[in-house]
Amino acid sequence: MTWPAKLSAGLFIVLTIATSCEDPSNIGLELDPENNQIGVFYQEISLSASVVLQDSLSTINTGVIIYGNEESDFFGKTESIGYTRLFFNRDIARPKENAVLDSVRFLISMREVLTADTINPKTINVHLLTEQIQDVDYFNFSSVAYEPTPSFSATFNFTNRQDTIVSTKINNALTQEIFSELKDGRYFQDIFSFREFLPGLAFKAEEGENVGFTTFIGNNTGFIFYFKNEGDTVSRAYPIATGINFNLARHFSQVINDPTGTPIEVVTEKNKAYELPDFVGSKATMGLQVKLDFSPLDTFLDTLSNVNFNQVMLEMGPLIDFSIIESPLTLIPYFTNETNRLLFRKDGFPLIVQPDGSVQVDAETGEPAFTFNAAHLTLTSNQKTYTQFITSHINAIYRNKINRTDVLLVPGFVNRQTQNISQDFRSNLKEYVVGQNTIKLKIFYSRSRSL
């Protein structure tokens, strides 16, 4: 069965509520007809969605590199490559001239492994850069040159755990050359000479394994050379890693997408909204995001008078073929308009839909409030449907406190405690797909009636 057929088979039946010719304030299903004081009504509004490919998505120095080789019916073929410089530690004694190399291990600190197949081992290929990473900004379309043949490859089993440190033993021409230069020391006098010798590494996944990796940059990703100086009884260790303590090497990630034969094949221009007939979806560092058209809300609100919204839930899903083993994307609902870009307040803070119970309007400026909080869309416990209550937001629109805008769903999380907005849309390869006919506002509202 194809994936569109699977969707049709799995959709639940939604009650459609027709608009009657009676008092417009009574539009909707009356839930409490016996109460002659308060009328409680329910209305369901379908929202259409489009996809927007974000322009100039910076991936520089996110703390992680992403790399993978994936293929899906909606997104097509996606290859990601992670690039990073290396560091050496001047505070650790280098091998002496007569030192003997015992062994070399290469460590990789995994943040997550995204795959539906954890039974079969996955291969990581590491290539030596032939071009230096410069002190400039790099984007998800950027690249630097690297050796076409991997300097080494390693295969790991991630059946039991994905967020772990894996390592492999290496003994090849590259490690022998690095150890020889470590003893000589000419390339280890300063960072510039070192980068001439070792520009850095490119990480790639094996084609056909349908996997995406996210690796931490730092002490636990890189080489460790174990050696003995003359007279030593135990091995010493010398690291050449992607970070020293909290000093991380410069790094970025590239995403190459081929959507041929998929629904998103038509998406060719950046920051343009494309309406797709059946499905919409988002893939983080690829920069593809979902835009929700809230204009049907205008027609509904224009029919109402003297009402209060008791509960409004935005629902999107169920997800199509969702089988990623790690935590799903959390989505931040940003205000947007015909530009298909994020909108900002005069003070530079982004306009984000605020959660229920939070301040919706800035009392000083009259602009929509920004409180380092968000009405995040998260998956339900069965990881099938995105939901969030936006009652306070809709009440503020109805009372003309804030303007109704469309919403751009961007992967990330607004942390009120740390006052930080994490940007998952540039630090992993997570994705989701939903049917166009599954995006709805579910509205409970009431109005007072005269005796």
Side-chain angles (χ1 to χ4, degrees):
M1 184 182 293
T2 63
W3 66 287
K6 284 188 230 176
L7 173 66
S8 299
L11 287 179
F12 56 87
I13 298 174
V14 178
L15 176 64
T16 303
I17 301 169
T19 301
S20 68
C21 297
E22 58 178 316
D23 181 352
S25 297
N26 290 341
I27 289 175
L29 176 66
E30 187 171 5
L31 301 182
D32 192 11
E34 300 302 320
N35 190 327
N36 63 357
Q37 293 296 316
I38 301 294
V40 180
F41 303 90
Y42 173 74
Q43 180 74 20
E44 205 169 87
I45 299 176
S46 295
L47 303 179
S48 63
S50 53
V51 295
V52 178
L53 190 60
Q54 184 174 340
D55 188 21
S56 301
L57 180 60
S58 174
T59 59
I60 194 71
N61 293 348
T62 61
V64 297
I65 52 172
I66 63 168
Y67 48 104
N69 239 305
E70 303 169 290
E71 187 169 358
S72 71
D73 294 323
F74 186 83
F75 298 102
K77 295 181 179 180
T78 306
E79 180 184 15
S80 306
I81 306 170
Y83 302 88
T84 181
R85 287 173 175 171
L86 292 166
F87 273 141
F88 71 97
N89 194 332
R90 296 183 184 181
D91 296 330
I92 298 177
R94 290 183 293 102
K96 295 180 180 179
E97 186 178 354
N98 59 359
V100 176
L101 182 63
D102 284 344
S103 63
V104 182
R105 298 201 73 85
F106 192 84
L107 279 63
I108 304 174
S109 179
M110 285 295 176
R111 178 185 179 187
E112 59 196 358
V113 181
L114 302 179
T115 180
D117 171 26
T118 58
I119 302 301
N120 295 305
K122 305 300 178 184
T123 301
I124 296 172
N125 301 308
V126 180
H127 301 246
L128 187 64
L129 298 187
T130 58
E131 176 187 351
Q132 289 195 38
I133 296 174
Q134 303 298 321
D135 293 328
V136 298
D137 204 357
Y138 287 91
F139 301 91
N140 60 345
F141 53 79
S142 304
S143 65
V144 294
Y146 56 88
E147 294 283 357
T149 302
S151 296
F152 58 93
S153 301
T155 301
F156 304 102
N157 188 326
F158 294 102
T159 302
N160 296 322
R161 186 174 175 185
Q162 291 76 45
D163 56 337
T164 185
I165 297 176
V166 295
S167 68
T168 185
K169 194 172 183 179
I170 310 170
N171 182 13
N172 60 16
L174 175 63
T175 56
Q176 292 292 336
E177 181 183 6
I178 295 174
F179 187 69
S180 177
E181 295 299 341
L182 265 172
K183 293 191 293 182
D184 180 272
R186 56 178 173 163
Y187 292 118
F188 291 83
Q189 300 302 314
D190 58 74
I191 193 64
F192 304 105
S193 300
F194 174 74
R195 288 177 190 161
E196 287 289 337
F197 172 54
L198 282 178
L201 302 174
F203 288 69
K204 300 182 67 175
E206 190 75 8
E207 187 174 359
E209 292 190 350
N210 214 24
V211 63
F213 297 103
T214 305
T215 287
F216 286 113
I217 295 299
N219 297 18
N220 293 320
T221 298
F223 299 94
I224 299 181
F225 289 80
Y226 296 96
F227 65 93
K228 289 189 181 76
N229 289 322
E230 186 177 8
D232 286 345
T233 57
V234 295
S235 284
R236 301 171 184 262
Y238 193 93
I240 297 178
T242 57
I244 300 176
N245 298 325
F246 299 105
N247 190 11
L248 305 184
R250 194 169 185 79
H251 56 278
F252 71 97
S253 301
Q254 176 190 16
V255 177
I256 306 164
N257 177 253
D258 178 8
T260 304
T262 72
I264 65 169
E265 186 177 19
V266 298
V267 182
T268 56
E269 296 181 37
K270 303 290 182 68
N271 293 116
K272 178 180 177 180
Y274 288 85
E275 295 183 6
L276 305 180
D278 301 311
F279 306 95
V280 291
S282 177
K283 191 171 181 67
T285 310
M286 177 183 163
L288 190 70
Q289 297 162 359
V290 171
K291 177 185 178 182
L292 302 183
D293 178 4
F294 267 63
S295 61
L297 183 64
D298 295 340
T299 304
F300 174 64
L301 295 183
D302 287 344
T303 67
L304 304 178
S305 62
N306 300 320
V307 306
N308 186 70
F309 292 95
N310 309 107
Q311 186 182 93
V312 181
M313 183 173 70
L314 173 59
E315 181 178 278
M316 189 170 69
L319 273 61
I320 308 301
D321 286 346
F322 182 75
S323 58
I324 294 176
I325 57 175
E326 290 298 313
S327 58
L329 288 169
T330 297
L331 306 176
I332 303 173
Y334 287 90
F335 290 50
T336 191
N337 56 18
E338 67 279 358
T339 67
N340 304 312
R341 299 175 184 270
L342 307 187
L343 302 182
F344 293 85
R345 290 160 39 106
K346 293 178 181 178
D347 57 12
F349 286 112
L351 293 176
I352 297 174
V353 177
Q354 298 297 295
D356 278 2
S358 294
V359 175
Q360 301 293 312
V361 183
D362 190 317
E364 294 184 4
T365 66
E367 296 178 290
F370 178 80
T371 62
F372 275 107
N373 208 347
H376 299 98
L377 269 73
T378 57
L379 285 187
T380 51
S381 57
N382 60 5
Q383 296 198 342
K384 293 289 181 65
T385 305
Y386 276 106
T387 59
Q388 182 54 267
F389 293 107
I390 55 171
T391 314
S392 299
H393 178 72
I394 299 302
N395 267 314
I397 293 173
Y398 177 65
R399 287 166 173 74
N400 296 316
K401 301 295 184 181
I402 59 177
N403 293 327
R404 195 278 303 162
T405 69
D406 294 332
V407 169
L408 194 63
L409 301 177
V410 181
F413 187 80
V414 184
N415 191 319
R416 192 169 189 176
Q417 290 185 330
T418 62
Q419 295 197 341
N420 178 60
I421 302 177
S422 66
Q423 298 180 321
D424 281 355
F425 63 90
R426 66 190 190 107
S427 62
N428 60 57
L429 292 168
K430 295 177 181 179
E431 62 187 49
Y432 69 89
V433 178
V434 296
Q436 279 276 21
N437 60 350
T438 69
I439 306 171
K440 303 179 184 300
L441 288 175
K442 296 184 173 182
I443 303 173
F444 292 87
Y445 65 99
S446 60
R447 63 184 292 270
S448 298
R449 300 187 208 161
S450 57
L451 291 172

